[in-house]
Amino acid sequence: SVTLSAKGMNLVGQLVHEALVGKGVQAIGGLTFGADPISVATAFYSFSTSSPMDAFSIRKEQKDHGIVKWIEGDIASGTPVAIVDDVATTGGSTIKAIERAREEGLNVVTAVVLVDRQEGGTENIRKSVDDVISIVTRDELLHAYQALGK
């Protein structure tokens, strides 16, 4: 996976962070596992900027022991956050992450998808949060691939 390679992680962290600057976001996270490398890369990159952001992870299933909560990470209720996902097809997992973040009291201000497959996902996500950012679309990836002569 691109997001788990050193080069890809650095690039993704920078691109996602730059897309979020100026939106008031203080933390970034999404459903484990797809969002985790992106959130961590963004938080890591952001530390060297004037707009640091913390990372968090949203469980797919609630813990059945200890403190029962959806979110892992030290993020206070009311914090303005971005929900991130690796791809958007239908948008279902991103919407689930938005709902769970809100259940935990987080202020979801935007959603970011690394790759928009252009199958209606970002439009569906927009029903849950007005601001949805796609880092790259399927068409852009195909165009870049074709430009390489593949």
Side-chain angles (χ1 to χ4, degrees), residues 47-114:
F47 185 72
S48 65
T49 74
S50 60
S51 303
M53 299 169 192
D54 292 324
F56 62 92
S57 186
I58 302 174
R59 296 175 176 282
K60 290 185 178 177
E61 313 258 334
Q62 271 189 319
K63 289 188 343 183
D64 60 356
H65 62 281
I67 298 172
V68 179
K69 60 182 184 174
W70 287 113
I71 296 179
E72 287 298 327
D74 191 20
I75 311 299
S77 182
T79 300
V81 302
I83 297 299
V84 67
D85 212 339
D86 53 356
V87 296
T89 306
T90 66
S93 62
T94 308
I95 293 166
K96 184 183 290 187
I98 290 167
E99 291 169 353
R100 289 187 179 163
R102 287 180 173 152
E103 285 174 26
E104 295 291 327
L106 301 182
N107 176 17
V108 178
V109 296
T110 188
V112 181
V113 294
L114 192 56

